[in-house]
Amino acid sequence: MGALVDLPLDTPDGCAQQQRQYLTFRVQQDMYAVASRYVREILEYDQVTQVPMMPSLVRGVINLRGAIVPIIDLADRFGHGLSPLGARTCIVIVEILDDIVIVEILDEDETHLMGALVDAVSAVVEIEADALRQAPAFGSRVRSEFIEDMARLDERFITLLRMEQVLSVEQIAAMAGLRNESLSPAADVR
């Protein structure tokens, strides 16, 4: 798997960008964006290793320089079925804070690399604060807890995602546990 883009996460003077730069991408016919602070790199879709007993949204894992990275199909995560694989299919590698780690032991935050399978990556754009709109409480094609905001860009709206919710390790692990329980032999009932 080759990296397509190394995103410039720092300004020329070395200061980290505030949450103004976003990577835009397409999942099915909808445009989404994620804050560039989450994005580590973008990979061409190649081969992933399937993991048995996982929900369909976990397409598999890849080895990224020694780190095992799960690949989550965003279309399936949003409830639209599996993404068809095509020439522009990409994996967006994001780093998210683990939402279930008990921090007492390590006394530090733990982050995870996760891969988001998308139909196509569009561009890195800068979105001004006045272009942001609160997401409506209804009418979206994704769950409301996945949406950070909406942004108006070139006469269309883009959904800004809350990646710590979309790629929640806790929620995906719970889904895998439920699937494993449903596949296990039934208990002896008398």
Side-chain angles (χ1 to χ4, degrees), residues 20-173:
R20 295 178 60 196
Q21 282 193 340
Y22 292 84
L23 175 71
T24 59
F25 53 87
R26 188 175 50 78
V27 175
Q28 294 187 340
Q29 69 269 19
D30 297 320
M31 288 296 292
Y32 297 94
V34 59
S36 63
R37 66 185 170 103
Y38 290 113
V39 178
R40 293 297 157 250
E41 59 188 286
I42 301 165
L43 304 173
E44 293 175 300
Y45 182 83
D46 195 11
Q47 193 63 29
V48 299
T49 302
Q50 292 187 348
V51 180
M53 310 281 291
M54 285 289 118
S56 61
L57 66 93
V58 180
R59 292 293 283 256
V61 296
I62 61 170
N63 181 340
L64 185 64
R65 293 181 288 284
I68 303 302
V69 179
I71 306 303
I72 308 302
D73 187 324
L74 288 191
D76 202 24
R77 180 71 168 131
F78 297 157
H80 307 304
L82 293 175
S83 291
L85 301 177
R88 297 194 62 199
T89 303
C90 293
I91 299 171
V92 179
I93 303 294
V94 296
E95 185 174 24
I96 58 171
L97 182 64
D98 189 343
D99 52 355
I100 62 169
V101 170
I102 299 173
V103 187
E104 303 166 359
I105 300 170
L106 300 174
D107 198 27
E108 61 185 47
D109 294 332
E110 187 169 328
T111 60
H112 290 281
L113 291 178
M114 301 283 282
L117 184 70
V118 302
D119 294 333
V121 169
S122 297
V124 175
V125 297
E126 193 158 317
I127 300 175
E128 299 298 327
D130 61 352
L132 299 177
R133 304 284 183 265
Q134 185 174 1
F138 59 90
S140 175
R141 292 174 39 92
V142 299
R143 294 180 5 203
S144 61
E145 65 264 22
F146 292 170
I147 302 173
E148 181 177 316
D149 277 314
M150 302 291 288
R152 186 156 184 103
L153 189 66
D154 297 331
E155 301 305 316
R156 65 187 291 190
F157 279 101
I158 296 175
T159 304
L160 306 182
L161 295 174
R162 231 182 237 134
M163 292 310 282
E164 63 276 358
Q165 288 294 321
V166 173
L167 299 176
S168 168
V169 174
E170 180 180 18
Q171 290 179 19
I172 293 168

